[in-house]
Amino acid sequence: FKTTTMATLPEGAKEIGNNWVETQDPTSGKTYYANTVTQATSWVWPEDVPKPAEPAAAESEWTAAVDPGTGKTYYVNRVRGDTTWEMPAGYVAPAGGVPMAAYTPAPAAEKPTWVANLDPGSGKTYYTNQLGETSWEVPADYVAPEPARCPAPSLDENKSPSSSGGGVGFAEPAKESGLKFAGAAIMGGSGGEFAAGTSPIANEIDADNWSAKTAKRKTQLFTNNSVLSCEGAAVALLAGVTDETTTKELLLEVGETTFLEYAEKNYNYERSGLFGARTSTERIVNFKGSEVIKTSLNKLGDKELVAEAVQSFRNITGFMGDRSSGKNTDDHCLKLLTTCLQSVDSLRNEVYCQIVKQTSKNPSLESTSLGWQLMNICLATFPPGPLLRDALMAHCVAVLDEHPEPTVKKYAEACLHNIPLICELGPRRELPTLVEMESCKRLKPVVVRVSFLDYKYAMIPVNSWTTVEHFHEIIRRRLGIKDGRSFAVYEVSSNEEERSLDKHERILDLVAYWNRLQAEERAKKGKNVECETFTFLFKAKLFFEMKNDDHAGVEMMYIQAKHDVVDARYPCTDQDAITLAALQVQEEFGDHPGGDQPCSYITGKLHKFVTAKVLEASDGESVESSILKLYGKLTGYSQQEARLSYLDYVKSWKIFGSMYYFAEPICNKMLPTEVVIAINNKAILVVDPHSKEFLEEFPYNKVVTWGASDKAFSVVAGDLVHNRKVFFKTNQGKEMARIVRAYVDSIILNLEIADSAAH
């Protein structure tokens, strides 16, 4: 199971232009063509690559090249030196194709060529070479490949090359389920594609749908080397963030522990016959068939728990198909999960032990596989108790070592990894959705949608153990942001209510909660009622200084700033609005067309550049004319320069980047009865909510300390000798204190770095 890279293509692969290479399928010997960026493959010459026989126009003043960052073709005028994304009139493609970035040369023949592979059970990367060596550690002479390349097409010439398998897939991939739930879908179907028709996460959608003829600038987000261009890369990123432990490390952790030791200490052996004769270890720990148990495996010591244990065994055997039942498997599973979520560790341990029993020496591979699938679903929902944890891991290790079937080994290794994860997280709040249960059965991630303030979105892979903290890190890497401290993940409702998510919340637990709310609302009001919906939003929460070379971070901060400006989050003058709108036009469209050519870039779109207040105060034509007049003076500004100029402009505002909180001053006759406290990276501000006047300012270099409770927030300003304390009544005191702490810590860290550099 490995990602196809340039290193895996046959030697002699020839670049033919526009990201395509010509090579031979080692199995059939036939020539095929592969696009190294999109992973498209074809048995015939690509339509977007000129054949060598086509002559180049010697007189053309235009030449073409491929931007290595985006993989897109752009055009350069040999005479004037200007560039364009659009094919200019008079351009003739060269016979040899469009020049592209050179590949990393292959290692010398005498050295081992290491290739990264994805272990399907753990999602971890391991390395192999042509000498048969393997390693969990990154070899010293390993060379990271170019972004994912394409495998040979299917040998069925009637089959579309794009439908052949590609990237990383799991053994015996399940057929596409078509399951889709609350914006979530299972990643990977047959052929390693995304289920339910969702796109790979490299294909983001711009809801604004700017015309290709007018949108001259391209976003830096999603176009850097961290872009996930195939399912395998997405799975690897998810595994690397959610679970950093290797299988080898888990094997060492288990050591000499065995499941039999647990059984001999904790099982109820007096269970055979009418008088409870002692049974054997062989019988009590191994497959029982379709016959149900009469009492619990463990010594539970409570009749109600024993009765629940017996019923749980009926649900387990019904799910696995060991016992005929009128219910479907999902009903058995959900009933089992409901019981365990509401119960105690001893019953949860019992359920895990029953699954171990029914999957041990089970003659049916299908039943055994279903049992392991159920084990994984349980591990997505509730943990085994501390008494069972190590023994359950030891059981997984034993199956991984001894079971003859690769499918069972795959499930055992996945469960081995998931036991420590669920034990750290604890039981979840909600039952998993059907989509999540299916993903656990198939050991596939679920893709969920995360939105951005510019109406773009990305589909991000998650699993049952992905927390908001993990999700944030995956998005950060996905976008290529170097410093992610400024950004947070929000839950946003269709009623425009938003909540900053706690880093420990589980992503799919939230999705399940949203689905339950929708189901309850439809049960009350009818199936066709329009319910409140929710989505994830990734945006700035804090406004730390972003380094200029963090292009993705700067872009995200720029997106936040222009959104807040146009949304009238900050008071600004009409001239401020015109200046910022002109910078925004320069950022999005590049230089003014110049001359007498009419510029219609923002015609009919002024609401995306200025506030409604500006449009109400003046007629649209005069506003547009003022913006375009200033826009014409910005010629020569690069996209990055326009963004940085925009950010520099708004940073000069005292209020920029503030989080707002309503509060009531306590014992302070100088302030009105209600104020707004604005907290940003420079100061704590007290603002009159009606006049917008600044009533108090507490720069951080004048803040001695601060404090908070559930119902209050306080600031001590001045110095250690002369200071005064100001109190406010608010229900958000603790959150306010956390934000102040984050900004003060950042200031202290920057001072320490500067001091260290000076010495």
Side-chain angles (χ1 to χ4, degrees), residues 251-306:
L251 295 176
L252 292 174
E253 180 183 340
V254 170
E256 302 299 321
T257 304
T258 67
F259 186 83
L260 288 180
E261 291 175 356
Y262 171 88
E264 289 169 354
K265 284 184 179 180
N266 299 282
Y267 273 17
N268 175 21
Y269 276 77
E270 284 71 32
R271 59 192 302 111
S272 293
L274 184 60
F275 300 103
R278 185 175 179 82
T279 189
S280 65
T281 299
E282 175 70 18
R283 292 190 63 183
I284 199 171
V285 300
N286 291 318
F287 181 66
K288 188 173 178 64
S290 60
E291 184 182 353
V292 297
I293 59 175
K294 302 290 193 301
T295 188
S296 60
L297 300 179
N298 288 266
K299 302 170 186 176
L300 297 181
D302 183 288
K303 290 183 178 180
E304 290 186 4
L305 285 179
V306 170

Side-chain angles (χ1 to χ4, degrees), residues 576-591:
D576 287 340
I578 297 298
T579 301
L580 292 171
L583 285 167
Q584 185 179 341
V585 177
Q586 179 70 20
E587 190 276 340
E588 292 189 13
F589 300 100
D591 290 342

Side-chain angles (χ1 to χ4, degrees), residues 655-676:
I655 201 72
F656 174 71
S658 294
M659 298 286 288
Y660 300 119
Y661 303 93
F662 283 101
E664 299 175 13
I666 300 175
C667 300
N668 193 327
K669 297 180 179 180
M670 303 296 292
L671 296 175
T673 56
E674 186 177 68
V675 298
V676 171

Side-chain angles (χ1 to χ4, degrees), residues 557-692:
M557 294 302 287
Y558 165 76
I559 290 170
Q560 181 77 48
K562 71 176 183 180
H563 172 273
D564 291 347
V565 168
V566 175
D567 199 42
R569 182 176 172 84
Y570 308 119
C572 67
T573 65
D574 289 354
Q575 185 55 52
D576 287 340
I578 297 298
T579 301
L580 292 171
L583 285 167
Q584 185 179 341
V585 177
Q586 179 70 20
E587 190 276 340
E588 292 189 13
F589 300 100
D591 290 342
H592 192 287
D596 297 329
Q597 299 181 51
C599 180
S600 59
Y601 293 159
I602 61 176
T603 302
K605 304 185 181 79
L606 283 176
H607 63 284
K608 297 181 179 180
F609 295 86
V610 294
T611 64
K613 181 181 178 182
V614 172
L615 293 177
E616 291 170 1
S618 307
D619 65 279
E621 289 186 7
S622 63
V623 172
E624 181 174 351
S625 175
S626 298
I627 294 172
L628 293 178
K629 183 178 180 180
L630 183 54
Y631 166 46
K633 298 178 181 180
L634 297 175
T635 297
Y637 274 55
S638 69
Q639 188 176 45
Q640 182 75 346
E641 287 170 339
R643 289 171 182 162
L644 292 171
S645 296
Y646 193 107
L647 288 171
D648 286 343
Y649 198 102
V650 296
K651 284 177 186 176
S652 66
W653 297 344
K654 193 179 296 184
I655 201 72
F656 174 71
S658 294
M659 298 286 288
Y660 300 119
Y661 303 93
F662 283 101
E664 299 175 13
I666 300 175
C667 300
N668 193 327
K669 297 180 179 180
M670 303 296 292
L671 296 175
T673 56
E674 186 177 68
V675 298
V676 171
I677 298 179
I679 303 175
N680 58 42
N681 63 351
K682 298 184 286 290
I684 302 169
L685 308 171
V686 182
V687 184
D688 188 310
H690 305 292
S691 67
K692 307 298 188 293

Side-chain angles (χ1 to χ4, degrees), residues 158-478:
N158 295 320
K159 183 178 180 182
S160 168
S162 63
S163 66
S164 61
V168 175
F170 292 107
E172 302 173 3
K175 292 183 179 180
E176 187 138 316
S177 70
L179 284 173
K180 199 172 185 182
F181 220 64
I186 298 170
M187 176 185 288
S190 55
E193 299 297 328
F194 280 59
T198 57
S199 300
I201 60 180
N203 297 333
E204 268 56 47
I205 303 300
D206 183 352
D208 268 351
N209 193 24
W210 289 102
S211 167
K213 293 183 178 180
T214 57
K216 295 183 177 180
R217 302 299 185 105
K218 302 296 181 182
T219 179
Q220 296 299 313
L221 301 178
F222 315 117
T223 60
N224 51 64
N225 290 334
S226 68
V227 168
L228 305 177
S229 53
C230 66
E231 179 194 336
V235 174
L237 175 55
L238 171 62
V241 171
T242 304
D243 179 16
E244 299 178 353
T245 309
T246 65
T247 301
K248 182 179 180 180
E249 291 169 339
L250 291 173
L251 295 176
L252 292 174
E253 180 183 340
V254 170
E256 302 299 321
T257 304
T258 67
F259 186 83
L260 288 180
E261 291 175 356
Y262 171 88
E264 289 169 354
K265 284 184 179 180
N266 299 282
Y267 273 17
N268 175 21
Y269 276 77
E270 284 71 32
R271 59 192 302 111
S272 293
L274 184 60
F275 300 103
R278 185 175 179 82
T279 189
S280 65
T281 299
E282 175 70 18
R283 292 190 63 183
I284 199 171
V285 300
N286 291 318
F287 181 66
K288 188 173 178 64
S290 60
E291 184 182 353
V292 297
I293 59 175
K294 302 290 193 301
T295 188
S296 60
L297 300 179
N298 288 266
K299 302 170 186 176
L300 297 181
D302 183 288
K303 290 183 178 180
E304 290 186 4
L305 285 179
V306 170
E308 288 183 348
V310 172
Q311 181 57 44
S312 294
F313 191 81
R314 295 179 65 85
N315 284 313
I316 290 170
T317 53
F319 180 92
M320 295 174 61
D322 301 332
R323 179 182 62 84
S324 60
S325 169
K327 298 179 182 178
N328 63 44
T329 56
D330 290 335
D331 287 340
H332 283 298
C333 183
L334 289 171
K335 188 172 181 181
L336 182 70
L337 298 179
T338 301
T339 299
C340 290
L341 269 182
Q342 299 171 351
S343 193
V344 293
D345 278 354
S346 56
L347 183 63
R348 294 170 181 169
N349 287 350
E350 173 71 16
V351 165
Y352 282 115
C353 290
Q354 291 177 8
I355 297 174
V356 168
K357 176 180 178 65
Q358 288 303 100
T359 54
S360 297
K361 296 188 178 181
N362 186 330
S364 168
L365 176 60
E366 180 181 4
S367 171
T368 302
S369 298
L370 286 169
W372 279 101
Q373 290 175 13
L374 181 59
M375 172 91 79
N376 203 41
I377 295 172
C378 289
L379 290 171
T381 310
F382 59 89
L387 192 63
L388 180 64
R389 177 190 183 275
D390 293 347
L392 191 59
M393 291 179 67
H395 173 69
C396 294
V397 170
V399 173
L400 186 58
D401 288 342
E402 301 167 7
H403 205 284
E405 291 293 338
T407 300
V408 176
K409 288 177 177 285
K410 175 181 67 174
Y411 283 114
E413 186 168 14
C415 290
L416 174 64
H417 278 263
N418 294 334
I419 292 169
L421 296 180
I422 190 64
C423 286
E424 181 178 352
L425 292 170
R428 57 192 292 162
R429 296 184 307 172
E430 302 287 332
L431 291 171
T433 63
L434 296 180
V435 166
E436 185 181 352
M437 286 165 55
E438 185 69 16
S439 74
C440 289
K441 294 175 188 176
R442 295 168 55 186
L443 302 183
K444 294 283 188 180
V446 171
V447 289
V448 298
R449 173 171 169 157
V450 58
S451 300
F452 307 100
L453 288 176
D454 58 351
Y455 303 102
K456 293 186 177 70
Y457 69 84
M459 302 303 290
I460 301 295
V462 299
N463 59 31
S464 300
W465 305 271
T466 304
T467 64
V468 169
E469 184 176 25
H470 298 139
F471 195 52
H472 179 282
E473 177 64 9
I474 293 170
I475 297 169
R476 183 196 68 78
R477 296 190 192 182
R478 176 69 182 80

